Amino acid sequence: MSTKITHLKELESEAIYVIREVAAQFEKPALLFSGGKDSIVLAYLSYKAFYPSPIPFPFVHIDTGHNFKETIDYRDQLVEELGVRLIVGSVQQSIDEGRVVEETGYNASRNKLQTFTLLDTLEQYKFDAAIGGARRDEEKARAKERFFSHRDEFGQWDPKNQRPELWNIFNGKKNMGEHFRVFPISNWTEMDVWQYILQEQIPLPSLYYTHQREVFNRDGVWLAKYPFMQLKPTEKVEVKQVRCRTIGDITCTGLTLSTAHSIEDIIDEIASSRVTERGGRADDKRSEAAMEDRKKAGYF
Protein backbone atom coordinates (compact mmCIF):
# COMPACT_ATOMS: atom_id res chain seq x y z
CA MET A 1 0.00 0.00 0.00
CA SER A 2 1.39 3.40 -0.93
CA THR A 3 2.08 6.15 1.60
CA LYS A 4 -0.46 8.42 -0.06
CA ILE A 5 -3.31 5.93 0.24
CA THR A 6 -2.40 5.16 3.87
CA HIS A 7 -2.47 8.90 4.59
CA LEU A 8 -5.91 9.28 3.02
CA LYS A 9 -7.22 6.25 4.90
CA GLU A 10 -6.09 7.81 8.19
CA LEU A 11 -7.85 11.07 7.36
CA GLU A 12 -10.97 9.19 6.29
CA SER A 13 -10.99 7.17 9.51
CA GLU A 14 -10.62 10.32 11.63
CA ALA A 15 -13.43 12.11 9.78
CA ILE A 16 -15.79 9.13 10.06
CA TYR A 17 -15.03 8.92 13.79
CA VAL A 18 -15.97 12.59 14.23
CA ILE A 19 -19.17 12.18 12.20
CA ARG A 20 -20.21 9.19 14.30
CA GLU A 21 -19.45 11.18 17.46
CA VAL A 22 -21.87 13.86 16.26
CA ALA A 23 -24.61 11.26 15.76
CA ALA A 24 -23.91 9.82 19.22
CA GLN A 25 -23.70 13.07 21.20
CA PHE A 26 -26.37 15.29 19.66
CA GLU A 27 -30.12 14.95 19.35
CA LYS A 28 -30.68 16.91 16.13
CA PRO A 29 -27.57 17.23 13.98
CA ALA A 30 -27.50 18.33 10.34
CA LEU A 31 -24.92 18.54 7.57
CA LEU A 32 -24.38 21.95 5.97
CA PHE A 33 -24.29 21.27 2.25
CA SER A 34 -23.07 23.98 -0.12
CA GLY A 35 -22.58 21.85 -3.23
CA GLY A 36 -18.84 22.49 -3.08
CA LYS A 37 -16.25 19.71 -3.11
CA ASP A 38 -15.68 19.73 0.66
CA SER A 39 -19.35 19.30 1.51
CA ILE A 40 -19.63 16.65 -1.21
CA VAL A 41 -16.77 14.70 0.39
CA LEU A 42 -18.55 15.06 3.75
CA ALA A 43 -21.71 13.64 2.21
CA TYR A 44 -19.84 10.56 0.98
CA LEU A 45 -17.99 10.19 4.29
CA SER A 46 -21.36 10.29 6.08
CA TYR A 47 -22.66 7.62 3.73
CA LYS A 48 -19.65 5.44 4.59
CA ALA A 49 -19.98 6.16 8.32
CA PHE A 50 -23.45 4.65 8.60
CA TYR A 51 -23.68 2.19 5.70
CA PRO A 52 -25.77 0.05 5.24
CA SER A 53 -28.07 2.22 7.36
CA PRO A 54 -29.19 5.55 5.90
CA ILE A 55 -27.51 8.81 6.89
CA PRO A 56 -29.33 9.73 10.14
CA PHE A 57 -29.43 13.49 9.68
CA PRO A 58 -30.69 15.90 7.00
CA PHE A 59 -28.64 18.11 4.69
CA VAL A 60 -29.15 21.87 5.03
CA HIS A 61 -28.46 24.15 2.08
CA ILE A 62 -28.60 27.93 2.40
CA ASP A 63 -29.69 29.11 -1.05
CA THR A 64 -28.68 32.69 -1.79
CA GLY A 65 -30.83 32.78 -4.92
CA HIS A 66 -27.58 33.57 -6.75
CA ASN A 67 -26.20 30.04 -6.90
CA PHE A 68 -24.91 28.38 -10.04
CA LYS A 69 -27.60 26.22 -11.66
CA GLU A 70 -25.08 23.39 -11.91
CA THR A 71 -24.73 23.43 -8.12
CA ILE A 72 -28.48 23.19 -7.51
CA ASP A 73 -28.90 20.41 -10.07
CA TYR A 74 -26.06 18.43 -8.52
CA ARG A 75 -27.47 18.96 -5.01
CA ASP A 76 -30.89 17.63 -5.95
CA GLN A 77 -29.42 14.61 -7.73
CA LEU A 78 -27.11 13.74 -4.82
CA VAL A 79 -29.72 13.88 -2.05
CA GLU A 80 -31.98 11.68 -4.18
CA GLU A 81 -29.20 9.13 -4.68
CA LEU A 82 -28.28 9.09 -0.99
CA GLY A 83 -31.90 9.10 0.19
CA VAL A 84 -31.29 12.11 2.43
CA ARG A 85 -33.82 14.72 3.55
CA LEU A 86 -32.95 18.17 2.20
CA ILE A 87 -33.81 21.40 4.02
CA VAL A 88 -33.32 24.64 2.09
CA GLY A 89 -33.00 28.01 3.79
CA SER A 90 -33.78 30.87 1.39
CA VAL A 91 -31.91 34.16 1.52
CA GLN A 92 -34.50 35.60 -0.87
CA GLN A 93 -37.21 34.78 1.68
CA SER A 94 -35.18 36.50 4.39
CA ILE A 95 -35.00 39.59 2.17
CA ASP A 96 -38.72 39.47 1.37
CA GLU A 97 -39.60 39.19 5.06
CA GLY A 98 -37.40 42.16 5.97
CA ARG A 99 -35.04 40.02 8.05
CA VAL A 100 -32.05 41.31 6.06
CA VAL A 101 -31.38 44.19 3.68
CA GLU A 102 -29.86 43.39 0.31
CA GLU A 103 -26.64 45.18 -0.58
CA THR A 104 -26.52 47.52 -3.55
CA GLY A 105 -23.73 48.79 -5.77
CA TYR A 106 -21.00 47.21 -7.85
CA ASN A 107 -19.76 44.93 -5.08
CA ALA A 108 -23.17 43.88 -3.78
CA SER A 109 -23.30 40.27 -2.66
CA ARG A 110 -25.71 38.02 -0.81
CA ASN A 111 -22.87 36.00 0.67
CA LYS A 112 -22.89 37.80 4.02
CA LEU A 113 -26.69 37.55 4.21
CA GLN A 114 -26.38 33.76 4.40
CA THR A 115 -25.43 34.10 8.08
CA PHE A 116 -28.87 35.35 9.09
CA THR A 117 -30.70 32.74 7.02
CA LEU A 118 -28.47 29.98 8.41
CA LEU A 119 -29.09 31.00 12.02
CA ASP A 120 -32.84 31.30 11.35
CA THR A 121 -32.86 27.82 9.78
CA LEU A 122 -30.92 26.25 12.66
CA GLU A 123 -33.32 27.86 15.13
CA GLN A 124 -36.43 26.89 13.18
CA TYR A 125 -35.52 23.21 13.09
CA LYS A 126 -33.81 23.22 16.52
CA PHE A 127 -30.57 21.73 15.23
CA ASP A 128 -27.99 21.36 17.99
CA ALA A 129 -25.04 20.49 15.74
CA ALA A 130 -24.19 21.53 12.20
CA ILE A 131 -21.49 19.58 10.35
CA GLY A 132 -19.43 21.73 7.98
CA GLY A 133 -16.63 21.20 5.48
CA ALA A 134 -14.17 23.86 6.67
CA ARG A 135 -10.47 22.96 6.59
CA ARG A 136 -7.68 24.58 8.58
CA ASP A 137 -5.58 25.28 5.48
CA GLU A 138 -8.30 27.38 3.82
CA GLU A 139 -7.99 30.68 5.65
CA LYS A 140 -6.46 32.11 8.84
CA ALA A 141 -9.74 32.26 10.75
CA ARG A 142 -10.55 28.64 9.83
CA ALA A 143 -7.26 27.55 11.42
CA LYS A 144 -8.48 28.75 14.83
CA GLU A 145 -11.40 26.30 14.90
CA ARG A 146 -11.68 23.07 16.88
CA PHE A 147 -13.36 19.92 15.55
CA PHE A 148 -16.29 20.67 17.91
CA SER A 149 -16.73 24.44 17.71
CA HIS A 150 -19.11 25.86 20.29
CA ARG A 151 -21.67 28.55 19.40
CA ASP A 152 -23.58 30.57 21.99
CA GLU A 153 -27.36 31.07 22.05
CA PHE A 154 -26.97 33.83 19.44
CA GLY A 155 -25.03 31.53 17.10
CA GLN A 156 -21.81 33.44 17.70
CA TRP A 157 -18.28 32.06 17.93
CA ASP A 158 -15.61 33.16 20.42
CA PRO A 159 -12.17 32.16 19.05
CA LYS A 160 -10.52 33.02 22.40
CA ASN A 161 -12.76 30.71 24.42
CA GLN A 162 -12.66 27.24 22.92
CA ARG A 163 -12.59 23.85 24.56
CA PRO A 164 -9.45 21.69 24.54
CA GLU A 165 -9.54 18.51 22.45
CA LEU A 166 -7.02 16.03 23.77
CA TRP A 167 -6.74 12.49 22.40
CA ASN A 168 -9.83 13.00 20.21
CA ILE A 169 -12.09 13.48 23.21
CA PHE A 170 -14.83 15.88 22.13
CA ASN A 171 -16.96 17.80 24.61
CA GLY A 172 -20.43 18.38 23.17
CA LYS A 173 -22.07 19.63 26.36
CA LYS A 174 -24.12 22.77 25.86
CA ASN A 175 -26.81 24.91 27.42
CA MET A 176 -30.30 25.48 26.09
CA GLY A 177 -30.25 27.37 22.80
CA GLU A 178 -26.56 26.79 22.11
CA HIS A 179 -25.22 24.60 19.32
CA PHE A 180 -22.01 23.28 17.80
CA ARG A 181 -20.40 23.55 14.40
CA VAL A 182 -18.43 20.39 13.71
CA PHE A 183 -15.62 20.12 11.14
CA PRO A 184 -14.66 16.47 10.46
CA ILE A 185 -12.13 17.28 7.71
CA SER A 186 -10.26 19.92 9.70
CA ASN A 187 -6.94 18.11 9.21
CA TRP A 188 -7.36 17.71 5.44
CA THR A 189 -5.71 19.96 2.89
CA GLU A 190 -7.10 20.98 -0.47
CA MET A 191 -4.78 18.43 -2.08
CA ASP A 192 -6.02 15.70 0.29
CA VAL A 193 -9.60 16.43 -0.77
CA TRP A 194 -8.78 16.17 -4.46
CA GLN A 195 -6.72 13.00 -4.01
CA TYR A 196 -9.59 11.46 -2.03
CA ILE A 197 -12.09 12.42 -4.74
CA LEU A 198 -9.81 10.74 -7.29
CA GLN A 199 -9.33 7.64 -5.16
CA GLU A 200 -13.05 7.24 -4.44
CA GLN A 201 -14.15 8.30 -7.93
CA ILE A 202 -16.61 10.84 -6.50
CA PRO A 203 -18.64 12.67 -9.17
CA LEU A 204 -18.58 16.48 -9.04
CA PRO A 205 -20.52 19.40 -10.53
CA SER A 206 -19.26 20.29 -14.00
CA LEU A 207 -18.21 23.72 -12.65
CA TYR A 208 -15.02 22.19 -11.29
CA TYR A 209 -13.83 21.28 -14.77
CA THR A 210 -12.75 23.63 -17.53
CA HIS A 211 -15.65 25.08 -19.49
CA GLN A 212 -16.36 28.17 -21.58
CA ARG A 213 -18.11 31.04 -19.82
CA GLU A 214 -18.73 34.78 -20.08
CA VAL A 215 -16.58 36.47 -17.44
CA PHE A 216 -15.16 39.85 -16.47
CA ASN A 217 -12.15 40.82 -14.41
CA ARG A 218 -12.55 42.83 -11.20
CA ASP A 219 -9.52 43.66 -9.08
CA GLY A 220 -7.62 40.70 -10.49
CA VAL A 221 -10.45 38.20 -9.98
CA TRP A 222 -12.42 36.64 -12.84
CA LEU A 223 -16.15 36.62 -12.07
CA ALA A 224 -19.04 35.07 -13.99
CA LYS A 225 -21.32 37.48 -15.84
CA TYR A 226 -24.97 37.23 -14.77
CA PRO A 227 -27.84 39.76 -15.03
CA PHE A 228 -27.63 40.62 -11.30
CA MET A 229 -23.91 41.45 -11.60
CA GLN A 230 -23.45 45.19 -12.10
CA LEU A 231 -20.40 46.00 -14.22
CA LYS A 232 -18.28 49.08 -13.78
CA PRO A 233 -17.80 51.27 -16.89
CA THR A 234 -14.20 50.06 -17.25
CA GLU A 235 -15.10 46.35 -17.06
CA LYS A 236 -15.80 44.33 -20.17
CA VAL A 237 -17.26 40.87 -20.71
CA GLU A 238 -14.99 38.27 -22.29
CA VAL A 239 -15.36 34.58 -23.10
CA LYS A 240 -12.73 32.46 -21.34
CA GLN A 241 -11.93 28.85 -20.54
CA VAL A 242 -12.39 28.72 -16.77
CA ARG A 243 -13.28 26.47 -13.87
CA CYS A 244 -14.27 26.90 -10.23
CA ARG A 245 -11.69 26.06 -7.59
CA THR A 246 -14.18 26.73 -4.82
CA ILE A 247 -17.94 27.18 -5.23
CA GLY A 248 -20.20 29.67 -3.48
CA ASP A 249 -22.47 32.59 -4.29
CA ILE A 250 -21.92 33.68 -7.91
CA THR A 251 -21.18 37.27 -6.90
CA CYS A 252 -18.02 36.30 -5.00
CA THR A 253 -16.89 33.02 -6.58
CA GLY A 254 -13.69 33.70 -8.44
CA LEU A 255 -13.02 31.63 -11.54
CA THR A 256 -9.65 30.17 -12.49
CA LEU A 257 -8.31 30.29 -16.03
CA SER A 258 -7.72 26.62 -16.66
CA THR A 259 -7.39 23.73 -19.08
CA ALA A 260 -8.08 21.03 -16.46
CA HIS A 261 -10.57 18.50 -17.83
CA SER A 262 -10.01 15.72 -15.28
CA ILE A 263 -9.27 15.23 -11.57
CA GLU A 264 -5.69 14.33 -12.48
CA ASP A 265 -5.39 17.64 -14.38
CA ILE A 266 -6.79 19.54 -11.38
CA ILE A 267 -4.33 17.89 -8.99
CA ASP A 268 -1.42 18.83 -11.27
CA GLU A 269 -2.74 22.38 -11.54
CA ILE A 270 -3.08 22.82 -7.77
CA ALA A 271 0.37 21.33 -7.13
CA SER A 272 1.96 24.06 -9.27
CA SER A 273 -0.32 26.93 -8.22
CA ARG A 274 1.02 29.90 -6.26
CA VAL A 275 -2.48 31.13 -5.40
CA THR A 276 -4.36 29.74 -2.40
CA GLU A 277 -7.76 28.15 -2.82
CA ARG A 278 -9.58 31.18 -1.39
CA GLY A 279 -7.32 33.61 -3.18
CA GLY A 280 -10.04 34.00 -5.78
CA ARG A 281 -12.89 34.59 -3.35
CA ALA A 282 -13.97 38.22 -3.74
CA ASP A 283 -15.72 38.25 -0.34
CA ASP A 284 -12.42 37.52 1.46
CA LYS A 285 -10.86 40.66 -0.02
CA ARG A 286 -13.17 43.07 1.81
CA SER A 287 -10.85 43.26 4.80
CA GLU A 288 -8.02 41.33 6.47
CA ALA A 289 -10.44 40.06 9.12
CA ALA A 290 -13.39 39.46 6.79
CA MET A 291 -13.76 35.74 7.46
CA GLU A 292 -13.17 35.94 11.21
CA ASP A 293 -15.72 38.74 11.61
CA ARG A 294 -18.30 36.72 9.68
CA LYS A 295 -17.59 33.57 11.67
CA LYS A 296 -17.98 35.44 14.97
CA ALA A 297 -21.41 36.53 13.76
CA GLY A 298 -22.45 32.97 12.92
CA TYR A 299 -21.18 32.36 9.38
CA PHE A 300 -20.21 28.87 8.18
Side-chain angles (χ1 to χ4, degrees), residues 113-129:
L113 305 186
Q114 292 181 88
T115 298
F116 302 94
T117 306
L118 171 61
L119 293 177
D120 283 349
T121 303
L122 295 177
E123 172 62 25
Q124 178 183 351
Y125 291 92
K126 306 301 180 185
F127 292 124
D128 55 0

Side-chain angles (χ1 to χ4, degrees), residues 59-98:
F59 288 6
V60 173
H61 179 229
I62 304 304
D63 184 1
T64 67
H66 290 167
N67 294 106
F68 291 99
K69 182 180 183 299
E70 294 92 334
T71 302
I72 302 301
D73 291 344
Y74 180 93
R75 176 201 71 185
D76 294 343
Q77 179 181 345
L78 182 63
V79 296
E80 182 177 353
E81 289 177 356
L82 297 180
V84 178
R85 179 188 176 200
L86 175 66
I87 294 171
V88 179
S90 171
V91 172
Q92 183 62 57
Q93 182 177 339
S94 298
I95 294 171
D96 294 342
E97 293 176 351

Side-chain angles (χ1 to χ4, degrees), residues 178-206:
E178 298 175 344
H179 74 276
F180 278 79
R181 305 287 173 84
V182 182
F183 306 108
I185 61 172
S186 284
N187 286 333
W188 297 45
T189 65
E190 181 188 12
M191 183 62 79
D192 293 329
V193 170
W194 282 112
Q195 289 177 337
Y196 187 77
I197 289 170
L198 175 63
Q199 174 182 281
E200 300 296 311
Q201 295 296 295
I202 297 174
L204 295 174
S206 59

Side-chain angles (χ1 to χ4, degrees), residues 2-281:
S2 70
T3 303
K4 182 180 72 172
I5 293 178
T6 300
H7 174 59
L8 293 178
K9 285 296 183 184
E10 289 175 355
L11 290 173
E12 178 190 68
S13 178
E14 178 183 60
I16 287 175
Y17 172 79
V18 174
I19 291 169
R20 287 173 175 166
E21 275 293 297
V22 172
Q25 291 198 39
F26 297 98
E27 294 183 7
K28 292 196 69 177
L31 187 149
L32 301 179
F33 187 81
S34 68
K37 65 184 182 308
D38 297 326
S39 63
I40 291 169
V41 165
L42 276 181
Y44 279 89
L45 287 168
S46 298
Y47 176 78
K48 277 194 172 188
F50 303 105
Y51 182 82
S53 298
I55 297 174
F57 40 74
F59 288 6
V60 173
H61 179 229
I62 304 304
D63 184 1
T64 67
H66 290 167
N67 294 106
F68 291 99
K69 182 180 183 299
E70 294 92 334
T71 302
I72 302 301
D73 291 344
Y74 180 93
R75 176 201 71 185
D76 294 343
Q77 179 181 345
L78 182 63
V79 296
E80 182 177 353
E81 289 177 356
L82 297 180
V84 178
R85 179 188 176 200
L86 175 66
I87 294 171
V88 179
S90 171
V91 172
Q92 183 62 57
Q93 182 177 339
S94 298
I95 294 171
D96 294 342
E97 293 176 351
R99 298 279 295 158
V100 294
V101 178
E102 187 161 18
E103 295 179 356
T104 59
Y106 293 118
N107 296 309
S109 173
R110 290 185 174 184
N111 194 54
K112 185 177 179 180
L113 305 186
Q114 292 181 88
T115 298
F116 302 94
T117 306
L118 171 61
L119 293 177
D120 283 349
T121 303
L122 295 177
E123 172 62 25
Q124 178 183 351
Y125 291 92
K126 306 301 180 185
F127 292 124
D128 55 0
I131 302 170
R135 307 184 322 270
R136 288 173 182 163
D137 73 321
E138 282 184 89
E139 201 272 344
K140 289 181 288 186
R142 303 276 203 201
K144 297 180 181 181
E145 290 276 19
R146 300 289 194 267
F147 278 98
F148 276 36
S149 185
H150 176 264
R151 297 298 196 269
D152 65 20
E153 60 183 315
F154 302 105
Q156 297 179 331
W157 172 61
D158 182 0
K160 296 181 180 180
N161 183 27
Q162 298 192 79
R163 300 173 182 181
E165 292 179 342
L166 304 176
W167 307 291
N168 281 349
I169 297 175
F170 304 117
N171 182 358
K173 292 183 179 180
K174 58 181 178 54
N175 297 316
M176 181 74 71
E178 298 175 344
H179 74 276
F180 278 79
R181 305 287 173 84
V182 182
F183 306 108
I185 61 172
S186 284
N187 286 333
W188 297 45
T189 65
E190 181 188 12
M191 183 62 79
D192 293 329
V193 170
W194 282 112
Q195 289 177 337
Y196 187 77
I197 289 170
L198 175 63
Q199 174 182 281
E200 300 296 311
Q201 295 296 295
I202 297 174
L204 295 174
S206 59
L207 291 165
Y208 278 113
Y209 304 101
T210 296
H211 57 284
Q212 190 168 284
R213 186 178 292 273
E214 287 189 336
V215 297
F216 64 96
N217 193 286
R218 175 172 293 169
D219 300 326
V221 176
W222 291 101
L223 297 171
K225 175 64 177 74
Y226 276 80
F228 48 79
M229 299 286 282
Q230 186 178 352
L231 270 66
K232 299 177 182 178
T234 56
E235 295 170 340
K236 64 176 183 177
V237 177
E238 304 176 54
V239 176
K240 296 284 187 180
Q241 294 289 330
V242 297
R243 73 174 190 87
C244 290
R245 190 170 170 184
T246 177
I247 295 176
D249 186 84
I250 290 172
T251 57
C252 61
T253 298
L255 302 170
T256 301
L257 300 179
S258 173
T259 58
H261 293 280
S262 67
I263 301 297
E264 291 89 345
D265 290 342
I266 292 172
I267 289 174
D268 289 341
E269 187 176 270
I270 292 171
S272 61
S273 176
R274 293 180 177 271
V275 179
T276 63
E277 179 183 10
R278 295 191 67 91
R281 286 295 293 258

